[in-house]
Amino acid sequence: MRIVQMVPSLNYGDAIGNYIIAIKHIIEDMGYKTAIYCNSIHEKITEPDVYLVDDLDNLKTTDVVIYHMSIGSELNHIVADYKCRKVMIYHNITPPHFFEIDCAEKVESCRQGLEDVKALAGKFDHCIAVSDFNRRDLISMGYDADTIDVVPIIVALDDYKQKPDQEIIDHYNDGYTNILFVGRVAPNKKHEDMIRAFAYYKENVNPKSRLILAGSHGGINNYYTDLVSYIEELGVRDIEFTSHISFAGILGLYKSADVFLCLSEHEGFCVPLVEAMVFDVPIIAYDSCAVPETMGGSGIVVDNKNPVFLSKVIDRVVNDEQLRQHMIESQRKRLDDFRFEPLSRQFREILENFLDGMKKKNKKVNSQYSVLYDIVNNRMKKSGSEIPFSKDVFLNCSELAPGCADVASLIDSNMDNKSFFEAAYYTFFYRLPTPGEYEFWDIDIKETSTYDFQKKLSQHLVDIVNSKEFADIKINVCSNLFKR
């Protein structure tokens, strides 16, 4: 059995990409063969066993696909039609209305994504939502609440122990109050609200302050241009867009920040909130979507974006040392909930329970096929004949995917030589061996060890299938299959 993850795009350094790689390591530690398959892979990705979807061998019914749903993609429906077991990890999809003025392509992508999520209700055996907000979202779109578990995004907190960019720390250590937000420049993040609040704060409360907006604006250029024009119209200084910077640079920004300000209106989880907790940066966040859930009672969550009100809150956080320490302590306590060990254990338990349920279901199906075989065989015996192949062959072939010669599955089936011989021919050619083939292999079946016979026969059949005559059959065979 394989457990593979799939996602339309595996991006470098983003929250979902890091999460997918963390899950891969958990599955590896569980002892399962695993890999990641995507339509596109960022050139900086160095994780082993990451492939394009076109390289995915035919999946067996006993395999498991973990699919990350976060955007509209043709892959959504391709995965949903797989005959294997499927688990969806739902990261949420930004409502398209946020992009209506800025990006028609993004509107369509988000619209299609939401339609896909609704259309795929019932197509997945289980779902994992990265927040309860996302769980409720799935339920509202027709998903069964009993098939949804909630596990926060697993953040590799140890990565944040790396050395930050000292030049950035030195640059911002100039006596100014640094208000930081980290996240891509996108309309749902509401950068304009942060700019408006900061403009009032700088003019009326603290002239020696700056707003640092760290994140790429690639693909959302109209929104970014509007923000720049808005800043010019307000006449406010010391607002900096960093665009995309190195990870060490991001760490330097967190080290330099006095306040983390988040006024976003749509988040399925919001990893930067956890990052700010790592660096003891007091957080002021707007009460929307999954944000208060991620905050978990820590920091300050506000329900008012009035610039005067927000300026007073920022000023209090900056200057009231007792309040700052209380916020930092509450954030440290909340951060314990995001440690790798408890979250990885929670994810592992959910996956193990799912696999146990799958095994019980497969056992029940195999039991039904076994009874069917016995009924038919007994009736045939009464008329003087019997089924011309063993029960092992029948059970093995019941799991075959059309057009797939799964050698790895055969090797793991623990059949005797004769059953393996018959199952192998049916797996490759959808027929039992001919009398001549039985005669040719008879001595090997009777006298060769199981290991040597399976190796010899499998290589023989693989060579036949690799000929032009059988080029339409896909073979799932590992290079180290017989090196155990």
Side-chain angles (χ1 to χ4, degrees):
M1 180 182 70
R2 290 181 295 168
I3 303 176
V4 302
Q5 293 186 87
M6 300 185 70
V7 65
S9 299
L10 187 65
N11 297 314
Y12 177 77
D14 77 342
I16 293 179
N18 292 338
Y19 177 48
I20 291 171
I21 291 173
I23 290 176
K24 177 176 177 287
H25 295 165
I26 293 172
I27 296 172
E28 289 171 340
D29 290 342
M30 293 172 69
Y32 292 101
K33 182 181 178 183
T34 187
I36 300 169
Y37 292 90
C38 334
N39 281 337
S40 63
I41 305 168
H42 194 282
E43 60 183 10
K44 290 187 177 180
I45 297 290
T46 59
E47 179 70 21
D49 298 318
V50 177
Y51 309 103
L52 293 174
V53 171
D54 291 343
D55 296 325
L56 178 61
D57 296 323
N58 281 19
L59 293 162
K60 282 193 60 182
T61 56
T62 51
D63 290 332
V64 176
V65 167
I66 298 176
Y67 187 63
H68 295 263
M69 174 70 77
S70 62
I71 200 67
S73 169
E74 61 179 8
L75 192 58
N76 296 344
H77 293 278
I78 292 173
V79 171
D81 289 337
Y82 286 157
K83 303 306 179 185
C84 63
R85 301 294 177 186
K86 300 179 290 293
V87 176
M88 177 196 291
I89 296 183
Y90 183 53
H91 297 273
N92 214 296
I93 296 171
T94 305
H97 69 80
F98 281 108
F99 301 96
E100 286 176 350
I101 296 177
D102 186 77
C103 183
E105 182 180 349
K106 193 70 174 178
V107 169
E108 176 58 23
S109 179
C110 293
R111 183 197 64 78
Q112 187 62 55
L114 289 172
E115 286 191 4
D116 289 349
V117 176
K118 294 176 185 176
L120 298 181
K123 295 286 187 75
F124 285 79
D125 302 284
H126 202 75
C127 293
I128 296 175
V130 301
S131 63
D132 191 64
F133 170 78
N134 287 3
R135 184 189 70 86
R136 297 194 303 271
D137 206 25
L138 286 176
I139 293 171
S140 72
M141 291 187 282
Y143 287 72
D144 183 355
D146 292 336
T147 66
I148 307 172
D149 282 300
V150 177
V151 184
I153 285 182
I154 299 173
V155 182
L157 299 181
D158 284 347
D159 289 351
Y160 297 91
K161 295 178 182 178
Q162 298 178 35
K163 185 177 181 180
D165 189 323
Q166 190 60 46
E167 288 187 7
I168 285 182
I169 295 174
D170 293 341
H171 174 73
Y172 289 113
N173 186 22
D174 57 0
Y176 271 60
T177 296
N178 294 314
I179 302 170
L180 174 66
F181 175 74
V182 176
R184 58 187 169 79
V185 179
N188 59 298
K189 306 289 185 179
K190 290 297 177 180
H191 287 68
E192 65 270 31
D193 293 341
M194 290 184 281
I195 291 168
R196 182 165 56 251
F198 174 74
Y200 185 91
Y201 175 76
K202 185 174 181 66
E203 181 178 353
N204 298 282
V205 180
N206 183 3
K208 292 190 66 175
S209 59
R210 67 167 60 88
L211 176 64
I212 306 168
L213 302 172
S216 172
H217 58 80
I220 315 289
N221 291 326
N222 290 342
Y223 179 60
Y224 171 72
T225 301
D226 289 343
L227 292 175
V228 172
S229 298
Y230 185 45
I231 292 169
E232 293 175 353
E233 182 180 335
L234 292 175
V236 60
R237 299 169 61 87
D238 296 316
I239 297 180
E240 300 182 10
F241 289 94
T242 69
S243 190
H244 183 77
I245 61 174
S246 68
F247 185 66
I250 290 291
L251 302 186
L253 291 177
Y254 279 117
K255 280 282 189 181
S256 306
D258 297 289
V259 175
F260 188 89
L261 180 64
C262 174
L263 301 182
S264 179
E265 293 187 358
H266 188 270
E267 299 288 346
F269 180 80
C270 197
V271 168
L273 295 175
V274 178
E275 294 174 340
M277 294 176 190
V278 172
F279 289 91
D280 285 342
V281 184
I283 301 169
I284 301 170
Y286 182 61
D287 184 357
S288 179
C289 300
V291 169
E293 182 183 344
T294 302
M295 293 297 293
S298 68
I300 293 178
V301 176
V302 299
D303 60 1
N304 188 339
K305 290 190 179 184
N306 180 283
V308 179
F309 169 74
L310 287 174
S311 294
K312 290 181 177 180
V313 175
I314 295 170
D315 184 55
R316 178 80 181 275
V317 171
V318 170
N319 293 301
D320 188 332
E321 187 60 30
Q322 185 175 356
L323 175 63
R324 284 181 65 84
Q325 286 306 311
H326 176 75
M327 292 175 67
I328 290 171
E329 288 172 9
S330 69
Q331 290 173 191
R332 287 175 179 172
K333 184 176 180 180
R334 177 55 173 160
L335 187 62
D336 286 338
D337 297 328
F338 299 120
R339 299 292 177 190
F340 179 81
E341 290 76 13
L343 287 187
S344 62
R345 183 168 57 250
Q346 185 181 358
F347 183 90
R348 178 172 180 151
E349 288 174 356
I350 289 172
L351 185 56
E352 285 176 339
N353 289 337
F354 174 75
L355 295 176
D356 285 344
M358 188 178 81
K359 290 173 184 176
K360 290 177 182 177
K361 189 171 183 178
N362 287 340
K363 187 175 181 180
K364 182 178 180 181
V365 171
N366 279 346
S367 176
Q368 293 171 339
Y369 280 129
S370 179
V371 171
L372 177 62
Y373 180 92
D374 290 339
I375 291 173
V376 174
N377 202 36
N378 289 336
R379 288 181 179 177
M380 290 180 67
K381 284 181 178 179
K382 291 179 180 179
S383 62
S385 62
E386 61 181 341
I387 296 177
F389 49 85
S390 71
K391 186 185 293 186
D392 284 337
V393 174
F394 179 62
L395 295 178
N396 178 269
C397 293
S398 70
E399 297 182 351
L400 284 178
C404 176
D406 198 334
V407 183
S409 175
L410 285 171
I411 299 302
D412 290 335
S413 60
N414 297 319
M415 289 183 277
D416 61 35
N417 282 1
K418 185 174 184 298
S419 294
F420 181 88
F421 175 63
E422 294 172 342
Y425 267 85
Y426 200 92
T427 296
F428 279 81
F429 309 120
Y430 307 112
R431 65 170 176 81
L432 291 173
T434 65
E437 288 163 340
Y438 272 109
E439 182 178 354
F440 179 83
W441 289 96
D442 183 60
I443 295 177
D444 288 293
I445 291 172
K446 294 176 179 177
E447 300 180 2
T448 307
S449 70
T450 300
Y451 173 88
D452 291 334
F453 175 71
Q454 292 181 350
K455 180 178 180 180
K456 182 177 180 180
L457 177 64
S458 297
Q459 188 58 60
H460 173 73
L461 297 181
V462 168
D463 290 341
I464 293 175
V465 171
N466 280 335
S467 67
K468 292 182 180 179
E469 184 179 356
F470 296 97
D472 59 334
I473 297 180
K474 295 182 179 180
I475 306 171
N476 175 24
V477 54
C478 305
S479 60
N480 62 347
L481 201 57
F482 290 98
K483 296 179 182 179
R484 300 176 177 180

